[in-house]
Amino acid sequence: MKSFVRGALAVALLGSVALPAMAADLPSRKEAPVYIAPAPVFSWTGFYVGAEFGGQWGQNSTSLVNNFTGNTLLTTGGYNTSGVVGGGLVGYNYQINQFVLGVEGDLTGSSNQGRFSVTDARGFTGSQNSQYGFGAGVRGRLGFAMDRTLIYATGGWAYETIDQTYNNNGINNFLQQKISTDRSGYTVGGGVEYAFAPNWSGRLEYRWTDYGKYVSNFGNLVSIQQHPTDNTIQAALIYHFAAPAPVLAKY
């Protein structure tokens, strides 16, 4: 009898040890976690088109020159110009990691204008009106992307038509003469752009442009040396065509 009791106790003890171990080996009945897809990575790669509008202001440094002697008759110190500017743009971006390379072109119209008036020692008064018109440009872009925010620098070629009208009270025997000039120069600047929707972004950009020095001949005796420069700030609304995910460099 004692042997039977001892055997039963041994079996009970072994069971108390084995059951928890067996339970640990059984498969879990907990439900699998719900899969949450990661947010898609925004890509700046692709073509885009947009519209831009803003303000423009600058200066035209001028000097009156005697056409026969080449001597400077009068240095006006220049005059200020201001107006509004707007147009359309098209471009392409290519993103590698956080860096964005791009090229962009635009066509614009501007009301940027200014005027100066001078009187020489003989009492003759002359004035010049300057008026911007049609403009264009092609620029490169280099940017740093922080997901949907892009900070970039830009620079390249700029073109502008500038109409200049000179008036006087008798110098050179003419009262008014108008000259239209096509100017090419360079432009540099930068901006910040934010993609507020999958295919839409808005940006604010500043650029400084130099159209170089040139001479406008008015009449037979007098010419005016010109050097126009301007500052431009424009906001733009841009539509981006569908693009693949950004390229990730391999190391």
Side-chain angles (χ1 to χ4, degrees), residues 58-62 76-81 113-117 128-131 162-164 214 224 226-229:
Q59 187 179 53
N60 188 4
S61 300
T62 57
T76 68
Y79 58 95
N80 296 325
T81 63
Q113 60 182 314
R115 180 180 183 274
F116 81 88
S117 179
Q128 175 180 288
N129 298 309
S130 178
Q131 169 73 62
I162 304 177
D163 293 331
Q164 291 158 334
Y214 64 99
I224 300 180
Q226 321 267 0
H227 186 188
T229 60

mmCIF file with all atom_site columns, all heavy atoms in Angstrom, residues 58-62 76-81 113-117 128-131 162-164 214 224 226-229:
data_model
loop_
_atom_site.group_PDB
_atom_site.id
_atom_site.type_symbol
_atom_site.label_atom_id
_atom_site.label_alt_id
_atom_site.label_comp_id
_atom_site.label_asym_id
_atom_site.label_entity_id
_atom_site.label_seq_id
_atom_site.pdbx_PDB_ins_code
_atom_site.Cartn_x
_atom_site.Cartn_y
_atom_site.Cartn_z
_atom_site.occupancy
_atom_site.B_iso_or_equiv
_atom_site.pdbx_formal_charge
_atom_site.auth_seq_id
_atom_site.auth_comp_id
_atom_site.auth_asym_id
_atom_site.auth_atom_id
_atom_site.pdbx_PDB_model_num
ATOM 1   N N   . GLY A 1 58  ? 14.153 97.325  -59.730 1.00 0.00 ? 58  GLY A N   1
ATOM 2   C CA  . GLY A 1 58  ? 15.576 97.325  -60.059 1.00 0.00 ? 58  GLY A CA  1
ATOM 3   C C   . GLY A 1 58  ? 16.112 98.705  -60.298 1.00 0.00 ? 58  GLY A C   1
ATOM 4   O O   . GLY A 1 58  ? 15.555 99.703  -59.837 1.00 0.00 ? 58  GLY A O   1
ATOM 5   N N   . GLN A 1 59  ? 17.218 98.756  -61.055 1.00 0.00 ? 59  GLN A N   1
ATOM 6   C CA  . GLN A 1 59  ? 17.880 100.032 -61.343 1.00 0.00 ? 59  GLN A CA  1
ATOM 7   C C   . GLN A 1 59  ? 18.521 99.955  -62.721 1.00 0.00 ? 59  GLN A C   1
ATOM 8   O O   . GLN A 1 59  ? 18.989 98.896  -63.159 1.00 0.00 ? 59  GLN A O   1
ATOM 9   C CB  . GLN A 1 59  ? 18.950 100.347 -60.302 1.00 0.00 ? 59  GLN A CB  1
ATOM 10  C CG  . GLN A 1 59  ? 19.561 101.738 -60.460 1.00 0.00 ? 59  GLN A CG  1
ATOM 11  C CD  . GLN A 1 59  ? 20.593 102.036 -59.394 1.00 0.00 ? 59  GLN A CD  1
ATOM 12  O OE1 . GLN A 1 59  ? 21.520 101.255 -59.196 1.00 0.00 ? 59  GLN A OE1 1
ATOM 13  N NE2 . GLN A 1 59  ? 20.434 103.146 -58.701 1.00 0.00 ? 59  GLN A NE2 1
ATOM 14  N N   . ASN A 1 60  ? 18.533 101.103 -63.411 1.00 0.00 ? 60  ASN A N   1
ATOM 15  C CA  . ASN A 1 60  ? 19.243 101.229 -64.681 1.00 0.00 ? 60  ASN A CA  1
ATOM 16  C C   . ASN A 1 60  ? 20.277 102.335 -64.529 1.00 0.00 ? 60  ASN A C   1
ATOM 17  O O   . ASN A 1 60  ? 19.932 103.512 -64.423 1.00 0.00 ? 60  ASN A O   1
ATOM 18  C CB  . ASN A 1 60  ? 18.272 101.552 -65.815 1.00 0.00 ? 60  ASN A CB  1
ATOM 19  C CG  . ASN A 1 60  ? 18.943 101.503 -67.179 1.00 0.00 ? 60  ASN A CG  1
ATOM 20  O OD1 . ASN A 1 60  ? 20.105 101.153 -67.289 1.00 0.00 ? 60  ASN A OD1 1
ATOM 21  N ND2 . ASN A 1 60  ? 18.199 101.881 -68.206 1.00 0.00 ? 60  ASN A ND2 1
ATOM 22  N N   . SER A 1 61  ? 21.554 101.948 -64.470 1.00 0.00 ? 61  SER A N   1
ATOM 23  C CA  . SER A 1 61  ? 22.630 102.936 -64.368 1.00 0.00 ? 61  SER A CA  1
ATOM 24  C C   . SER A 1 61  ? 22.870 103.528 -65.749 1.00 0.00 ? 61  SER A C   1
ATOM 25  O O   . SER A 1 61  ? 23.067 102.792 -66.724 1.00 0.00 ? 61  SER A O   1
ATOM 26  C CB  . SER A 1 61  ? 23.909 102.263 -63.859 1.00 0.00 ? 61  SER A CB  1
ATOM 27  O OG  . SER A 1 61  ? 23.704 101.698 -62.579 1.00 0.00 ? 61  SER A OG  1
ATOM 28  N N   . THR A 1 62  ? 22.867 104.865 -65.858 1.00 0.00 ? 62  THR A N   1
ATOM 29  C CA  . THR A 1 62  ? 22.940 105.517 -67.172 1.00 0.00 ? 62  THR A CA  1
ATOM 30  C C   . THR A 1 62  ? 23.954 106.658 -67.179 1.00 0.00 ? 62  THR A C   1
ATOM 31  O O   . THR A 1 62  ? 24.212 107.290 -66.151 1.00 0.00 ? 62  THR A O   1
ATOM 32  C CB  . THR A 1 62  ? 21.567 106.093 -67.571 1.00 0.00 ? 62  THR A CB  1
ATOM 33  O OG1 . THR A 1 62  ? 21.134 106.999 -66.555 1.00 0.00 ? 62  THR A OG1 1
ATOM 34  C CG2 . THR A 1 62  ? 20.539 104.998 -67.733 1.00 0.00 ? 62  THR A CG2 1
ATOM 35  N N   . THR A 1 76  ? 24.023 110.153 -64.726 1.00 0.00 ? 76  THR A N   1
ATOM 36  C CA  . THR A 1 76  ? 22.781 110.407 -63.985 1.00 0.00 ? 76  THR A CA  1
ATOM 37  C C   . THR A 1 76  ? 22.734 109.685 -62.640 1.00 0.00 ? 76  THR A C   1
ATOM 38  O O   . THR A 1 76  ? 21.925 110.025 -61.789 1.00 0.00 ? 76  THR A O   1
ATOM 39  C CB  . THR A 1 76  ? 21.570 109.945 -64.808 1.00 0.00 ? 76  THR A CB  1
ATOM 40  O OG1 . THR A 1 76  ? 21.584 108.512 -64.899 1.00 0.00 ? 76  THR A OG1 1
ATOM 41  C CG2 . THR A 1 76  ? 21.600 110.543 -66.200 1.00 0.00 ? 76  THR A CG2 1
ATOM 42  N N   . GLY A 1 77  ? 23.591 108.676 -62.472 1.00 0.00 ? 77  GLY A N   1
ATOM 43  C CA  . GLY A 1 77  ? 23.517 107.897 -61.244 1.00 0.00 ? 77  GLY A CA  1
ATOM 44  C C   . GLY A 1 77  ? 22.466 106.803 -61.314 1.00 0.00 ? 77  GLY A C   1
ATOM 45  O O   . GLY A 1 77  ? 22.297 106.029 -60.384 1.00 0.00 ? 77  GLY A O   1
ATOM 46  N N   . GLY A 1 78  ? 21.746 106.758 -62.425 1.00 0.00 ? 78  GLY A N   1
ATOM 47  C CA  . GLY A 1 78  ? 20.755 105.698 -62.604 1.00 0.00 ? 78  GLY A CA  1
ATOM 48  C C   . GLY A 1 78  ? 19.390 106.093 -62.076 1.00 0.00 ? 78  GLY A C   1
ATOM 49  O O   . GLY A 1 78  ? 19.211 107.127 -61.428 1.00 0.00 ? 78  GLY A O   1
ATOM 50  N N   . TYR A 1 79  ? 18.424 105.249 -62.392 1.00 0.00 ? 79  TYR A N   1
ATOM 51  C CA  . TYR A 1 79  ? 17.070 105.476 -61.911 1.00 0.00 ? 79  TYR A CA  1
ATOM 52  C C   . TYR A 1 79  ? 16.438 104.136 -61.570 1.00 0.00 ? 79  TYR A C   1
ATOM 53  O O   . TYR A 1 79  ? 16.837 103.085 -62.092 1.00 0.00 ? 79  TYR A O   1
ATOM 54  C CB  . TYR A 1 79  ? 16.233 106.228 -62.950 1.00 0.00 ? 79  TYR A CB  1
ATOM 55  C CG  . TYR A 1 79  ? 16.123 105.537 -64.287 1.00 0.00 ? 79  TYR A CG  1
ATOM 56  C CD1 . TYR A 1 79  ? 15.035 104.722 -64.586 1.00 0.00 ? 79  TYR A CD1 1
ATOM 57  C CD2 . TYR A 1 79  ? 17.104 105.720 -65.256 1.00 0.00 ? 79  TYR A CD2 1
ATOM 58  C CE1 . TYR A 1 79  ? 14.937 104.095 -65.812 1.00 0.00 ? 79  TYR A CE1 1
ATOM 59  C CE2 . TYR A 1 79  ? 17.005 105.109 -66.491 1.00 0.00 ? 79  TYR A CE2 1
ATOM 60  C CZ  . TYR A 1 79  ? 15.912 104.293 -66.769 1.00 0.00 ? 79  TYR A CZ  1
ATOM 61  O OH  . TYR A 1 79  ? 15.825 103.675 -67.982 1.00 0.00 ? 79  TYR A OH  1
ATOM 62  N N   . ASN A 1 80  ? 15.477 104.186 -60.676 1.00 0.00 ? 80  ASN A N   1
ATOM 63  C CA  . ASN A 1 80  ? 14.830 102.974 -60.197 1.00 0.00 ? 80  ASN A CA  1
ATOM 64  C C   . ASN A 1 80  ? 13.669 102.579 -61.096 1.00 0.00 ? 80  ASN A C   1
ATOM 65  O O   . ASN A 1 80  ? 13.018 103.430 -61.706 1.00 0.00 ? 80  ASN A O   1
ATOM 66  C CB  . ASN A 1 80  ? 14.337 103.156 -58.760 1.00 0.00 ? 80  ASN A CB  1
ATOM 67  C CG  . ASN A 1 80  ? 15.474 103.388 -57.787 1.00 0.00 ? 80  ASN A CG  1
ATOM 68  O OD1 . ASN A 1 80  ? 16.557 102.829 -57.955 1.00 0.00 ? 80  ASN A OD1 1
ATOM 69  N ND2 . ASN A 1 80  ? 15.240 104.215 -56.781 1.00 0.00 ? 80  ASN A ND2 1
ATOM 70  N N   . THR A 1 81  ? 13.406 101.284 -61.151 1.00 0.00 ? 81  THR A N   1
ATOM 71  C CA  . THR A 1 81  ? 12.272 100.747 -61.903 1.00 0.00 ? 81  THR A CA  1
ATOM 72  C C   . THR A 1 81  ? 11.453 99.839  -60.995 1.00 0.00 ? 81  THR A C   1
ATOM 73  O O   . THR A 1 81  ? 11.968 99.285  -60.015 1.00 0.00 ? 81  THR A O   1
ATOM 74  C CB  . THR A 1 81  ? 12.744 99.942  -63.125 1.00 0.00 ? 81  THR A CB  1
ATOM 75  O OG1 . THR A 1 81  ? 13.508 98.811  -62.671 1.00 0.00 ? 81  THR A OG1 1
ATOM 76  C CG2 . THR A 1 81  ? 13.594 100.787 -64.048 1.00 0.00 ? 81  THR A CG2 1
ATOM 77  N N   . GLN A 1 113 ? 9.021  99.404  -65.027 1.00 0.00 ? 113 GLN A N   1
ATOM 78  C CA  . GLN A 1 113 ? 9.361  100.620 -65.760 1.00 0.00 ? 113 GLN A CA  1
ATOM 79  C C   . GLN A 1 113 ? 9.935  101.677 -64.824 1.00 0.00 ? 113 GLN A C   1
ATOM 80  O O   . GLN A 1 113 ? 9.792  101.607 -63.606 1.00 0.00 ? 113 GLN A O   1
ATOM 81  C CB  . GLN A 1 113 ? 8.127  101.181 -66.470 1.00 0.00 ? 113 GLN A CB  1
ATOM 82  C CG  . GLN A 1 113 ? 6.991  101.557 -65.551 1.00 0.00 ? 113 GLN A CG  1
ATOM 83  C CD  . GLN A 1 113 ? 5.785  102.066 -66.313 1.00 0.00 ? 113 GLN A CD  1
ATOM 84  O OE1 . GLN A 1 113 ? 5.907  102.889 -67.213 1.00 0.00 ? 113 GLN A OE1 1
ATOM 85  N NE2 . GLN A 1 113 ? 4.605  101.570 -65.971 1.00 0.00 ? 113 GLN A NE2 1
ATOM 86  N N   . GLY A 1 114 ? 10.602 102.670 -65.430 1.00 0.00 ? 114 GLY A N   1
ATOM 87  C CA  . GLY A 1 114 ? 11.182 103.767 -64.661 1.00 0.00 ? 114 GLY A CA  1
ATOM 88  C C   . GLY A 1 114 ? 11.503 104.930 -65.577 1.00 0.00 ? 114 GLY A C   1
ATOM 89  O O   . GLY A 1 114 ? 11.390 104.839 -66.803 1.00 0.00 ? 114 GLY A O   1
ATOM 90  N N   . ARG A 1 115 ? 11.962 106.036 -64.993 1.00 0.00 ? 115 ARG A N   1
ATOM 91  C CA  . ARG A 1 115 ? 12.188 107.259 -65.772 1.00 0.00 ? 115 ARG A CA  1
ATOM 92  C C   . ARG A 1 115 ? 13.238 108.123 -65.086 1.00 0.00 ? 115 ARG A C   1
ATOM 93  O O   . ARG A 1 115 ? 13.323 108.159 -63.858 1.00 0.00 ? 115 ARG A O   1
ATOM 94  C CB  . ARG A 1 115 ? 10.883 108.050 -65.895 1.00 0.00 ? 115 ARG A CB  1
ATOM 95  C CG  . ARG A 1 115 ? 10.971 109.349 -66.690 1.00 0.00 ? 115 ARG A CG  1
ATOM 96  C CD  . ARG A 1 115 ? 9.615  110.035 -66.749 1.00 0.00 ? 115 ARG A CD  1
ATOM 97  N NE  . ARG A 1 115 ? 9.659  111.257 -67.566 1.00 0.00 ? 115 ARG A NE  1
ATOM 98  C CZ  . ARG A 1 115 ? 10.014 112.433 -67.119 1.00 0.00 ? 115 ARG A CZ  1
ATOM 99  N NH1 . ARG A 1 115 ? 10.363 112.597 -65.844 1.00 0.00 ? 115 ARG A NH1 1
ATOM 100 N NH2 . ARG A 1 115 ? 10.023 113.493 -67.934 1.00 0.00 ? 115 ARG A NH2 1
ATOM 101 N N   . PHE A 1 116 ? 14.061 108.818 -65.912 1.00 0.00 ? 116 PHE A N   1
ATOM 102 C CA  . PHE A 1 116 ? 14.956 109.830 -65.363 1.00 0.00 ? 116 PHE A CA  1
ATOM 103 C C   . PHE A 1 116 ? 14.875 111.084 -66.224 1.00 0.00 ? 116 PHE A C   1
ATOM 104 O O   . PHE A 1 116 ? 14.509 111.035 -67.410 1.00 0.00 ? 116 PHE A O   1
ATOM 105 C CB  . PHE A 1 116 ? 16.394 109.315 -65.278 1.00 0.00 ? 116 PHE A CB  1
ATOM 106 C CG  . PHE A 1 116 ? 17.160 109.387 -66.572 1.00 0.00 ? 116 PHE A CG  1
ATOM 107 C CD1 . PHE A 1 116 ? 17.865 110.526 -66.916 1.00 0.00 ? 116 PHE A CD1 1
ATOM 108 C CD2 . PHE A 1 116 ? 17.178 108.302 -67.439 1.00 0.00 ? 116 PHE A CD2 1
ATOM 109 C CE1 . PHE A 1 116 ? 18.564 110.604 -68.112 1.00 0.00 ? 116 PHE A CE1 1
ATOM 110 C CE2 . PHE A 1 116 ? 17.883 108.367 -68.630 1.00 0.00 ? 116 PHE A CE2 1
ATOM 111 C CZ  . PHE A 1 116 ? 18.583 109.524 -68.971 1.00 0.00 ? 116 PHE A CZ  1
ATOM 112 N N   . SER A 1 117 ? 15.255 112.194 -65.644 1.00 0.00 ? 117 SER A N   1
ATOM 113 C CA  . SER A 1 117 ? 15.257 113.479 -66.348 1.00 0.00 ? 117 SER A CA  1
ATOM 114 C C   . SER A 1 117 ? 16.486 114.276 -65.907 1.00 0.00 ? 117 SER A C   1
ATOM 115 O O   . SER A 1 117 ? 16.780 114.350 -64.702 1.00 0.00 ? 117 SER A O   1
ATOM 116 C CB  . SER A 1 117 ? 13.985 114.264 -66.035 1.00 0.00 ? 117 SER A CB  1
ATOM 117 O OG  . SER A 1 117 ? 13.985 115.520 -66.695 1.00 0.00 ? 117 SER A OG  1
ATOM 118 N N   . GLN A 1 128 ? 14.352 109.987 -70.148 1.00 0.00 ? 128 GLN A N   1
ATOM 119 C CA  . GLN A 1 128 ? 14.232 108.656 -70.737 1.00 0.00 ? 128 GLN A CA  1
ATOM 120 C C   . GLN A 1 128 ? 13.240 107.834 -69.929 1.00 0.00 ? 128 GLN A C   1
ATOM 121 O O   . GLN A 1 128 ? 13.299 107.789 -68.706 1.00 0.00 ? 128 GLN A O   1
ATOM 122 C CB  . GLN A 1 128 ? 15.574 107.926 -70.760 1.00 0.00 ? 128 GLN A CB  1
ATOM 123 C CG  . GLN A 1 128 ? 15.447 106.476 -71.258 1.00 0.00 ? 128 GLN A CG  1
ATOM 124 C CD  . GLN A 1 128 ? 16.771 105.754 -71.275 1.00 0.00 ? 128 GLN A CD  1
ATOM 125 O OE1 . GLN A 1 128 ? 17.624 106.028 -72.105 1.00 0.00 ? 128 GLN A OE1 1
ATOM 126 N NE2 . GLN A 1 128 ? 16.943 104.820 -70.349 1.00 0.00 ? 128 GLN A NE2 1
ATOM 127 N N   . ASN A 1 129 ? 12.320 107.176 -70.632 1.00 0.00 ? 129 ASN A N   1
ATOM 128 C CA  . ASN A 1 129 ? 11.404 106.212 -70.024 1.00 0.00 ? 129 ASN A CA  1
ATOM 129 C C   . ASN A 1 129 ? 11.844 104.804 -70.424 1.00 0.00 ? 129 ASN A C   1
ATOM 130 O O   . ASN A 1 129 ? 12.132 104.554 -71.604 1.00 0.00 ? 129 ASN A O   1
ATOM 131 C CB  . ASN A 1 129 ? 9.960  106.450 -70.486 1.00 0.00 ? 129 ASN A CB  1
ATOM 132 C CG  . ASN A 1 129 ? 9.442  107.801 -70.083 1.00 0.00 ? 129 ASN A CG  1
ATOM 133 O OD1 . ASN A 1 129 ? 9.523  108.187 -68.930 1.00 0.00 ? 129 ASN A OD1 1
ATOM 134 N ND2 . ASN A 1 129 ? 8.928  108.557 -71.039 1.00 0.00 ? 129 ASN A ND2 1
ATOM 135 N N   . SER A 1 130 ? 11.875 103.913 -69.468 1.00 0.00 ? 130 SER A N   1
ATOM 136 C CA  . SER A 1 130 ? 12.276 102.530 -69.718 1.00 0.00 ? 130 SER A CA  1
ATOM 137 C C   . SER A 1 130 ? 11.124 101.608 -69.345 1.00 0.00 ? 130 SER A C   1
ATOM 138 O O   . SER A 1 130 ? 10.528 101.739 -68.270 1.00 0.00 ? 130 SER A O   1
ATOM 139 C CB  . SER A 1 130 ? 13.517 102.180 -68.891 1.00 0.00 ? 130 SER A CB  1
ATOM 140 O OG  . SER A 1 130 ? 13.894 100.836 -69.093 1.00 0.00 ? 130 SER A OG  1
ATOM 141 N N   . GLN A 1 131 ? 10.789 100.662 -70.234 1.00 0.00 ? 131 GLN A N   1
ATOM 142 C CA  . GLN A 1 131 ? 9.641  99.777  -70.028 1.00 0.00 ? 131 GLN A CA  1
ATOM 143 C C   . GLN A 1 131 ? 10.009 98.350  -70.429 1.00 0.00 ? 131 GLN A C   1
ATOM 144 O O   . GLN A 1 131 ? 10.392 98.085  -71.563 1.00 0.00 ? 131 GLN A O   1
ATOM 145 C CB  . GLN A 1 131 ? 8.452  100.246 -70.867 1.00 0.00 ? 131 GLN A CB  1
ATOM 146 C CG  . GLN A 1 131 ? 7.284  99.274  -70.946 1.00 0.00 ? 131 GLN A CG  1
ATOM 147 C CD  . GLN A 1 131 ? 6.499  99.217  -69.653 1.00 0.00 ? 131 GLN A CD  1
ATOM 148 O OE1 . GLN A 1 131 ? 5.935  100.224 -69.230 1.00 0.00 ? 131 GLN A OE1 1
ATOM 149 N NE2 . GLN A 1 131 ? 6.461  98.045  -69.028 1.00 0.00 ? 131 GLN A NE2 1
ATOM 150 N N   . ILE A 1 162 ? 13.348 95.465  -73.793 1.00 0.00 ? 162 ILE A N   1
ATOM 151 C CA  . ILE A 1 162 ? 13.284 96.726  -73.057 1.00 0.00 ? 162 ILE A CA  1
ATOM 152 C C   . ILE A 1 162 ? 13.043 97.853  -74.055 1.00 0.00 ? 162 ILE A C   1
ATOM 153 O O   . ILE A 1 162 ? 13.861 98.083  -74.963 1.00 0.00 ? 162 ILE A O   1
ATOM 154 C CB  . ILE A 1 162 ? 14.580 96.985  -72.262 1.00 0.00 ? 162 ILE A CB  1
ATOM 155 C CG1 . ILE A 1 162 ? 14.875 95.814  -71.331 1.00 0.00 ? 162 ILE A CG1 1
ATOM 156 C CG2 . ILE A 1 162 ? 14.468 98.293  -71.479 1.00 0.00 ? 162 ILE A CG2 1
ATOM 157 C CD1 . ILE A 1 162 ? 16.185 95.952  -70.564 1.00 0.00 ? 162 ILE A CD1 1
ATOM 158 N N   . ASP A 1 163 ? 11.924 98.544  -73.904 1.00 0.00 ? 163 ASP A N   1
ATOM 159 C CA  . ASP A 1 163 ? 11.596 99.703  -74.738 1.00 0.00 ? 163 ASP A CA  1
ATOM 160 C C   . ASP A 1 163 ? 12.019 100.969 -74.005 1.00 0.00 ? 163 ASP A C   1
ATOM 161 O O   . ASP A 1 163 ? 11.654 101.174 -72.844 1.00 0.00 ? 163 ASP A O   1
ATOM 162 C CB  . ASP A 1 163 ? 10.101 99.763  -75.037 1.00 0.00 ? 163 ASP A CB  1
ATOM 163 C CG  . ASP A 1 163 ? 9.648  98.615  -75.929 1.00 0.00 ? 163 ASP A CG  1
ATOM 164 O OD1 . ASP A 1 163 ? 10.467 98.135  -76.731 1.00 0.00 ? 163 ASP A OD1 1
ATOM 165 O OD2 . ASP A 1 163 ? 8.483  98.209  -75.815 1.00 0.00 ? 163 ASP A OD2 1
ATOM 166 N N   . GLN A 1 164 ? 12.783 101.833 -74.700 1.00 0.00 ? 164 GLN A N   1
ATOM 167 C CA  . GLN A 1 164 ? 13.256 103.077 -74.116 1.00 0.00 ? 164 GLN A CA  1
ATOM 168 C C   . GLN A 1 164 ? 12.878 104.249 -75.014 1.00 0.00 ? 164 GLN A C   1
ATOM 169 O O   . GLN A 1 164 ? 13.117 104.221 -76.222 1.00 0.00 ? 164 GLN A O   1
ATOM 170 C CB  . GLN A 1 164 ? 14.777 103.027 -73.920 1.00 0.00 ? 164 GLN A CB  1
ATOM 171 C CG  . GLN A 1 164 ? 15.164 102.046 -72.824 1.00 0.00 ? 164 GLN A CG  1
ATOM 172 C CD  . GLN A 1 164 ? 16.591 101.573 -72.938 1.00 0.00 ? 164 GLN A CD  1
ATOM 173 O OE1 . GLN A 1 164 ? 17.171 101.564 -74.017 1.00 0.00 ? 164 GLN A OE1 1
ATOM 174 N NE2 . GLN A 1 164 ? 17.158 101.169 -71.825 1.00 0.00 ? 164 GLN A NE2 1
ATOM 175 N N   . TYR A 1 214 ? 25.085 98.270  -72.341 1.00 0.00 ? 214 TYR A N   1
ATOM 176 C CA  . TYR A 1 214 ? 24.918 98.509  -73.770 1.00 0.00 ? 214 TYR A CA  1
ATOM 177 C C   . TYR A 1 214 ? 24.677 100.001 -73.997 1.00 0.00 ? 214 TYR A C   1
ATOM 178 O O   . TYR A 1 214 ? 24.487 100.765 -73.046 1.00 0.00 ? 214 TYR A O   1
ATOM 179 C CB  . TYR A 1 214 ? 23.773 97.678  -74.351 1.00 0.00 ? 214 TYR A CB  1
ATOM 180 C CG  . TYR A 1 214 ? 22.404 98.007  -73.800 1.00 0.00 ? 214 TYR A CG  1
ATOM 181 C CD1 . TYR A 1 214 ? 21.526 98.837  -74.502 1.00 0.00 ? 214 TYR A CD1 1
ATOM 182 C CD2 . TYR A 1 214 ? 21.969 97.484  -72.581 1.00 0.00 ? 214 TYR A CD2 1
ATOM 183 C CE1 . TYR A 1 214 ? 20.274 99.143  -74.012 1.00 0.00 ? 214 TYR A CE1 1
ATOM 184 C CE2 . TYR A 1 214 ? 20.721 97.783  -72.088 1.00 0.00 ? 214 TYR A CE2 1
ATOM 185 C CZ  . TYR A 1 214 ? 19.872 98.610  -72.799 1.00 0.00 ? 214 TYR A CZ  1
ATOM 186 O OH  . TYR A 1 214 ? 18.629 98.914  -72.303 1.00 0.00 ? 214 TYR A OH  1
ATOM 187 N N   . ILE A 1 224 ? 23.157 107.045 -74.894 1.00 0.00 ? 224 ILE A N   1
ATOM 188 C CA  . ILE A 1 224 ? 23.027 106.787 -73.462 1.00 0.00 ? 224 ILE A CA  1
ATOM 189 C C   . ILE A 1 224 ? 23.539 105.382 -73.165 1.00 0.00 ? 224 ILE A C   1
ATOM 190 O O   . ILE A 1 224 ? 23.066 104.391 -73.741 1.00 0.00 ? 224 ILE A O   1
ATOM 191 C CB  . ILE A 1 224 ? 21.567 106.916 -72.993 1.00 0.00 ? 224 ILE A CB  1
ATOM 192 C CG1 . ILE A 1 224 ? 21.049 108.327 -73.277 1.00 0.00 ? 224 ILE A CG1 1
ATOM 193 C CG2 . ILE A 1 224 ? 21.457 106.600 -71.509 1.00 0.00 ? 224 ILE A CG2 1
ATOM 194 C CD1 . ILE A 1 224 ? 19.609 108.540 -72.852 1.00 0.00 ? 224 ILE A CD1 1
ATOM 195 N N   . GLN A 1 226 ? 23.630 102.236 -70.935 1.00 0.00 ? 226 GLN A N   1
ATOM 196 C CA  . GLN A 1 226 ? 22.631 101.634 -70.048 1.00 0.00 ? 226 GLN A CA  1
ATOM 197 C C   . GLN A 1 226 ? 23.216 100.405 -69.342 1.00 0.00 ? 226 GLN A C   1
ATOM 198 O O   . GLN A 1 226 ? 24.061 99.704  -69.901 1.00 0.00 ? 226 GLN A O   1
ATOM 199 C CB  . GLN A 1 226 ? 21.408 101.183 -70.863 1.00 0.00 ? 226 GLN A CB  1
ATOM 200 C CG  . GLN A 1 226 ? 20.982 102.116 -71.974 1.00 0.00 ? 226 GLN A CG  1
ATOM 201 C CD  . GLN A 1 226 ? 19.921 103.088 -71.518 1.00 0.00 ? 226 GLN A CD  1
ATOM 202 O OE1 . GLN A 1 226 ? 19.491 103.086 -70.369 1.00 0.00 ? 226 GLN A OE1 1
ATOM 203 N NE2 . GLN A 1 226 ? 19.469 103.931 -72.430 1.00 0.00 ? 226 GLN A NE2 1
ATOM 204 N N   . HIS A 1 227 ? 22.734 100.152 -68.139 1.00 0.00 ? 227 HIS A N   1
ATOM 205 C CA  . HIS A 1 227 ? 23.087 98.917  -67.434 1.00 0.00 ? 227 HIS A CA  1
ATOM 206 C C   . HIS A 1 227 ? 21.922 98.531  -66.504 1.00 0.00 ? 227 HIS A C   1
ATOM 207 O O   . HIS A 1 227 ? 21.926 98.835  -65.324 1.00 0.00 ? 227 HIS A O   1
ATOM 208 C CB  . HIS A 1 227 ? 24.371 99.085  -66.626 1.00 0.00 ? 227 HIS A CB  1
ATOM 209 C CG  . HIS A 1 227 ? 24.843 97.798  -66.017 1.00 0.00 ? 227 HIS A CG  1
ATOM 210 N ND1 . HIS A 1 227 ? 25.886 97.739  -65.118 1.00 0.00 ? 227 HIS A ND1 1
ATOM 211 C CD2 . HIS A 1 227 ? 24.418 96.503  -66.177 1.00 0.00 ? 227 HIS A CD2 1
ATOM 212 C CE1 . HIS A 1 227 ? 26.087 96.492  -64.759 1.00 0.00 ? 227 HIS A CE1 1
ATOM 213 N NE2 . HIS A 1 227 ? 25.196 95.731  -65.374 1.00 0.00 ? 227 HIS A NE2 1
ATOM 214 N N   . PRO A 1 228 ? 20.907 97.848  -67.056 1.00 0.00 ? 228 PRO A N   1
ATOM 215 C CA  . PRO A 1 228 ? 19.744 97.487  -66.231 1.00 0.00 ? 228 PRO A CA  1
ATOM 216 C C   . PRO A 1 228 ? 19.957 96.216  -65.426 1.00 0.00 ? 228 PRO A C   1
ATOM 217 O O   . PRO A 1 228 ? 20.521 95.231  -65.915 1.00 0.00 ? 228 PRO A O   1
ATOM 218 C CB  . PRO A 1 228 ? 18.639 97.291  -67.279 1.00 0.00 ? 228 PRO A CB  1
ATOM 219 C CG  . PRO A 1 228 ? 19.369 96.854  -68.504 1.00 0.00 ? 228 PRO A CG  1
ATOM 220 C CD  . PRO A 1 228 ? 20.700 97.533  -68.474 1.00 0.00 ? 228 PRO A CD  1
ATOM 221 N N   . THR A 1 229 ? 19.523 96.240  -64.194 1.00 0.00 ? 229 THR A N   1
ATOM 222 C CA  . THR A 1 229 ? 19.474 95.066  -63.321 1.00 0.00 ? 229 THR A CA  1
ATOM 223 C C   . THR A 1 229 ? 18.124 95.063  -62.615 1.00 0.00 ? 229 THR A C   1
ATOM 224 O O   . THR A 1 229 ? 17.481 96.115  -62.469 1.00 0.00 ? 229 THR A O   1
ATOM 225 C CB  . THR A 1 229 ? 20.599 95.080  -62.268 1.00 0.00 ? 229 THR A CB  1
ATOM 226 O OG1 . THR A 1 229 ? 20.466 96.263  -61.456 1.00 0.00 ? 229 THR A OG1 1
ATOM 227 C CG2 . THR A 1 229 ? 21.968 95.070  -62.933 1.00 0.00 ? 229 THR A CG2 1
#
